Every structure is written in structure tokens, then in C-alpha cells.
Amino acid sequence: MANQARLPVRTLCRVLDVSPSGFYAWRDRAPSPRSMSDAVVTERIRHFHAASDATYGMPRIRADMIYDGHPISRKSVTRLMRCTGLRCVSRRRGFVVTTQRDTRQRPAPDLVKRAFVAEQPNQLWVADMTYIPTWAGFLCLAVVTDV
């Protein structure tokens, strides 16, 4: 519909392999009962999602809807949340094992002996590395500090 001003409908239908009569029938058809009920339920889901500061996922939103008198299945809530792009925010910290220690090897010696104190600069340097989970994947943070 957006490109209709620039391109004729017949050309668009030919490219998409759709009949023009089928396009006009689809355009003028009333929404199906399922799509109308999905729209109503989606608004309820959006309401509960916004009320939770976007932290609730499928289980809690479903529980709120059932408590509110709108019984709904888990799969329906999941489908509608996915279609509308609603995602929950997990405040739990995920535990990801990033290294697998070989139990046959001896651990590295503790050269500092857990005494992180130095008399003057440039005497004792310590380092650490950690992985930070992000939506795009893991970031590696490495820090080297003069004690």
C-alpha cells in the first residue's frame, strides 16, 4: 500500500505473484475473529507489561491475566508477545562457564601470597579478566593495575 503511489498495483501483484483480484479481496475483507480477539488480548498484555516496568515475562503476564478473569494459554501469550516485540528484563545474573579447568594440571602459583600491598609504585602489578554478558554477546574486560 505504501508503494502504491509510485508503482501500479498490477506491477506489484505481478512481482509478488499475487492476483490483483486477490489483493483487492484481501484489502477489503473484514478482520477475522481471531485477529480481532488477538488485538484485544495484545492490548491487555501490553497493559500488564507496562505496569511491570517491562520486567514481566510470559508466566507472570499469564498469571495476571488469569487473576484478572481472562484465561489464556501459555502459547498464546508467548506468540502475542513475540509478534509485538515485547520482551521481559531478567534481573537474574546468568552464570556462564567461560573456561574449563584441566583438573590434571596444577593451578598457577600464587606469587603475591594474597598480600596486595606494595611499598612503592611499579613493584607489584595485578591483573584480572572477566566476561560481561550483553544483548549482542559477551564482552571481555581485562584490567591491569599497579598496586
Side-chain angles (χ1 to χ4, degrees):
M1 298 281 237
N3 289 324
Q4 192 174 358
R6 289 186 272 161
L7 298 170
V9 171
R10 286 198 174 279
T11 305
L12 293 172
C13 289
R14 184 173 38 84
V15 169
L16 297 173
D17 197 24
V18 175
S19 68
S21 61
F23 164 73
Y24 287 116
W26 168 79
R27 186 188 68 177
D28 298 335
R29 187 180 311 136
S32 69
R34 179 180 175 179
S35 65
M36 290 181 0
S37 69
D38 280 355
V40 171
V41 171
T42 299
E43 285 308 310
R44 299 293 308 157
I45 289 173
R46 283 185 195 273
H47 166 73
F48 288 122
H49 191 258
S52 72
D53 291 331
T55 59
Y56 279 11
M58 181 279 300
R60 287 183 177 172
I61 287 181
R62 180 174 177 253
D64 281 352
M65 291 187 70
I66 290 172
Y67 183 77
D68 202 36
H70 302 284
I72 189 168
S73 71
R74 296 174 45 236
K75 290 185 178 183
S76 294
V77 175
T78 302
R79 176 178 57 85
L80 293 172
M81 285 183 72
R82 185 176 295 130
C83 287
T84 56
L86 296 177
R87 295 180 56 136
C88 66
V89 176
S90 176
R91 298 203 193 281
R92 293 184 197 151
R93 184 173 179 185
F95 180 75
V96 178
V97 176
T98 55
T99 56
Q100 295 291 329
R101 186 171 163 262
D102 188 2
T103 55
R104 295 172 296 181
Q105 296 288 329
R106 254 187 356 179
D110 184 7
L111 301 176
V112 180
K113 307 276 191 263
R114 300 286 173 212
F116 299 104
V117 179
E119 300 298 323
Q120 50 186 297
N122 209 16
Q123 224 178 19
L124 177 62
W125 291 80
V126 293
D128 192 20
M129 183 183 87
T130 188
Y131 290 97
I132 302 170
T134 66
W135 291 111
F138 283 97
L139 293 177
C140 179
L141 174 67
V143 178
V144 179
T145 305
D146 182 5
V147 173

